[in-house]
Amino acid sequence: MLRFSKFIDHSGDIQQLRESELQYRQLVELSPDTIAVHQEGKFVYINPAGLKLLHANHEEELIGKSIFDIVHPDYRDLAQQRVHQSYFEHKINELAKEKFITLDGQVIDVEVITSPISFRGKPATQVIVRDITERLRLEEDLRQSHQRMQRILTKARIETALVDVEGGRLLGTDSTLQQILGYSEEELLYKTFSELTYPEDTRKNLDLYEELLEGKREHYHMEKRYIRKDGSIIWGDLTVSLVNENPPSIMAMVKDITERKLAEQQLREAQELWQQISTLDGLTGIANRRYFDEKLESEWENSIRNSTSLSLLLIDIDYFKAYNDTYGHLGGDKCLRKVAKTLKETLKKPSDLACRYGGEEFVIILPDTDGEGARGIAENIRMAIEQLKIPHKQSKVSDHVTVCVGYATKKPNSFMRIKDFIYQSDQALYMAKEEGRNRIKGFA
């Protein structure tokens, strides 16, 4: 009887273990990163993100195949060394850059981390992979832009002009300045710099010029735009100083920096693009999980500082796994994009933010929004998704795609924790699912 009693006591632990394993598998299946497991150098498991990364349609295309078939020849020795360390030395390998070859022959850049695990009772290696092809391309663009700017600065030349103090007219110019402005020496003679200056830069130039004549400064420096004879715009780096002769005059030195300014603009655009890519979800185009974490912390601090309410909505597409099984991953991706677009369009305030939380889950941050406001927005979202009429014949609640929404509202203070706030939203979402889906539930 004693042994049987002990068995009964541990049954709850076994159930908890099974539930933990199920939750872990769900996380792996929904992970945006590739997660694969191999034993003795052969694939025994790969998640949907891995199939997509390697351009595979089914698991059967990879299961049982050598993992080294997808590793670029230049990296196979490194891969074999890391596999040996993980499999035989039980070592967790740090993040490393490698190249993979997809099933259709494309070469991609990846970051890989490996760790030893037990899979189905046998030693195995778990591999987590992230595609960094686009990131490396942007880094190379930034590097080339930087090199180009350095070459431009090295080759830069300085052009000079003598200017009449009283009328600001050009008294003399060198041939290089004539060339970059597109005028002959005769045409430039007696023109003023104001006539050649781009209108938006004129006021600042004149203010500095007057301070120079009043003795408030010995010289001045500014970057400004000039209008060439053909109407095109160039950038100049201008240094102006007073020449104390009789009569006094102004010496202007102009360096053509047009190419440098263009390079700086390209650099800014590349940096903005990189910032955009790093904060946006690649599939849906809305904010990603990383940006959500940063924004929620920022809005939490703002709410504490201003003593305002903060609301959080968690949205989950009902029976999305069944949707994927029925319409395929391409259909699932299309559905996710439509839902994300609708979430973004439903929000009214510029401060409201919709993010992809992971898999088929989305999250919305609503600054300065109380519980009643959060409830209204949650219901608007639920109805908006339902009104899309996206067919879902495997759904158990509707013929179309529907969502559950869980929301929570807090007026944060320094004693509260953000993770408890997220947990409340998650619990509300769980209750909405338990009560039949296609509904909203909240804590306020």
Side-chain angles (χ1 to χ4, degrees):
M1 289 295 294
L2 182 60
R3 293 182 179 177
F4 181 72
S5 175
K6 286 185 176 179
F7 171 76
I8 293 297
D9 289 343
H10 285 285
S11 62
D13 295 338
I14 293 171
Q15 179 63 26
Q16 285 185 336
L17 179 60
R18 287 173 179 167
E19 290 176 355
S20 296
E21 289 174 345
L22 178 61
Q23 290 173 355
Y24 177 75
R25 184 175 184 87
Q26 288 174 339
L27 288 173
V28 170
E29 291 286 334
L30 297 176
S31 171
D33 292 329
T34 293
I35 300 177
V37 179
H38 61 80
Q39 290 175 327
E40 298 179 351
K42 294 183 179 180
F43 284 105
V44 292
Y45 170 79
I46 187 165
N47 70 346
L51 297 179
K52 191 172 183 179
L53 175 74
L54 297 173
H55 300 177
N57 295 315
H58 306 286
E59 285 185 344
E60 290 75 17
E61 294 177 78
L62 290 166
I63 300 302
K65 304 292 179 62
S66 171
I67 61 169
F68 300 110
D69 289 346
I70 66 162
V71 179
H72 191 279
D74 293 347
Y75 291 84
R76 282 178 187 162
D77 287 343
L78 173 63
Q80 288 173 345
Q81 179 184 353
R82 287 166 64 85
V83 167
H84 183 277
Q85 290 173 339
S86 174
Y87 196 78
F88 294 100
E89 300 175 16
H90 306 291
K91 178 181 178 182
I92 297 176
N93 288 303
E94 297 179 354
L95 197 67
K97 291 181 181 178
E98 295 183 20
K99 288 183 184 290
F100 281 1
I101 303 174
T102 64
L103 296 190
D104 55 1
Q106 296 185 36
V107 177
I108 57 175
D109 293 283
V110 295
E111 286 179 338
V112 181
I113 187 168
T114 60
S115 59
I117 63 169
S118 176
F119 185 80
R120 294 173 182 169
K122 295 181 180 180
T125 297
Q126 176 179 270
V127 184
I128 300 176
V129 182
R130 175 165 294 179
D131 186 356
I132 59 170
T133 307
E134 182 65 14
R135 191 187 85 192
L136 293 182
R137 186 190 68 78
L138 281 173
E139 290 174 352
E140 177 62 16
D141 288 348
L142 290 172
R143 187 186 65 81
Q144 290 184 6
S145 295
H146 180 73
Q147 288 181 346
R148 182 183 175 202
M149 192 162 65
Q150 291 301 317
R151 288 196 298 269
I152 292 168
L153 291 172
T154 301
K155 295 178 180 178
R157 301 175 60 183
I158 297 177
E159 296 76 37
T160 58
L162 199 62
V163 184
D164 174 42
V165 168
E166 293 185 3
R169 295 189 177 276
L170 299 177
L171 300 176
T173 59
D174 67 7
S175 59
T176 308
L177 183 60
Q178 296 159 21
Q179 183 178 356
I180 67 170
L181 293 175
Y183 290 96
S184 66
E185 184 176 14
E186 291 76 17
E187 289 173 321
L188 281 176
L189 198 59
Y190 302 115
K191 271 189 172 296
T192 67
F193 257 114
S194 292
E195 292 172 334
L196 299 170
T197 300
Y198 190 72
E200 290 183 10
D201 298 336
T202 301
R203 183 69 264 164
K204 180 181 179 181
N205 192 23
L206 288 176
D207 288 344
L208 292 171
Y209 185 77
E210 289 173 3
E211 290 180 8
L212 182 73
L213 297 182
E214 292 170 1
K216 295 180 179 179
R217 58 175 66 239
E218 294 181 356
H219 64 274
Y220 69 85
H221 169 265
M222 67 177 294
E223 292 181 356
K224 57 180 278 190
R225 288 161 287 186
Y226 294 91
I227 305 172
R228 300 183 77 250
K229 184 178 180 180
D230 62 8
S232 60
I233 307 298
I234 63 168
W235 276 92
D237 187 298
L238 172 66
T239 301
V240 179
S241 56
L242 188 64
V243 180
N244 292 313
E245 295 181 350
N246 193 15
S249 58
I250 300 293
M251 176 68 73
M253 295 179 289
V254 182
K255 181 166 59 176
D256 185 358
I257 58 171
T258 305
E259 289 191 54
R260 194 198 84 194
K261 298 295 284 188
L262 290 174
E264 288 175 350
Q265 176 63 25
Q266 291 172 354
L267 189 62
R268 281 194 299 271
E269 290 173 354
Q271 290 170 335
E272 289 171 2
L273 179 59
W274 166 242
Q275 179 66 21
Q276 185 181 55
I277 288 175
S278 68
T279 58
L280 294 184
D281 176 62
L283 175 64
T284 63
I286 64 175
N288 59 18
R289 175 66 179 272
R290 171 187 170 188
Y291 188 65
F292 162 74
D293 292 336
E294 295 175 357
K295 188 67 173 177
L296 181 59
E297 185 172 350
S298 172
E299 293 297 349
W300 183 268
E301 293 300 326
N302 285 340
S303 293
I304 293 174
R305 189 163 47 251
N306 300 317
S307 191
T308 55
S309 296
L310 179 66
S311 293
L312 188 68
L313 276 60
L314 277 178
I315 302 108
D316 187 83
I317 300 176
D318 294 327
Y319 303 108
F320 188 72
K321 185 180 186 303
Y323 188 95
N324 261 343
D325 292 342
T326 304
Y327 302 100
H329 289 291
L330 291 179
D333 288 351
K334 186 176 180 180
C335 175
L336 290 171
R337 284 193 288 268
K338 285 183 178 179
V339 170
K341 182 174 183 289
T342 303
L343 295 180
K344 191 173 182 180
E345 291 174 348
T346 304
L347 301 178
K348 303 302 180 186
K349 294 193 301 184
S351 59
D352 296 343
L353 179 69
C355 312
R356 187 178 179 197
Y357 199 56
E360 72 272 20
E361 280 196 336
F362 297 87
V363 62
I364 292 177
I365 302 173
L366 301 173
D368 197 15
T369 303
D370 61 17
E372 189 62 27
R375 185 185 182 284
I377 294 171
E379 180 60 19
N380 289 342
I381 285 170
R382 188 198 65 78
M383 292 191 298
I385 300 302
E386 194 171 29
Q387 289 167 7
L388 290 175
K389 301 294 184 185
I390 303 172
H392 189 354
K393 60 185 180 181
Q394 294 300 324
S395 173
K396 297 179 182 179
V397 293
S398 173
D399 293 331
H400 302 96
V401 167
T402 59
V403 297
C404 283
V405 184
Y407 66 90
T409 299
K410 291 282 188 187
K411 186 173 280 188
N413 60 52
S414 57
F415 299 102
M416 297 179 183
R417 299 185 301 178
I418 292 178
K419 68 177 184 178
D420 294 332
F421 185 42
I422 298 173
Y423 177 76
Q424 276 199 341
S425 301
D426 190 51
Q427 285 297 104
L429 178 62
Y430 175 78
M431 286 191 290
K433 291 181 181 180
E434 287 293 300
E435 293 181 9
R437 313 222 179 193
N438 188 23
R439 63 190 62 231
I440 68 171
K441 199 74 178 176
F443 286 104

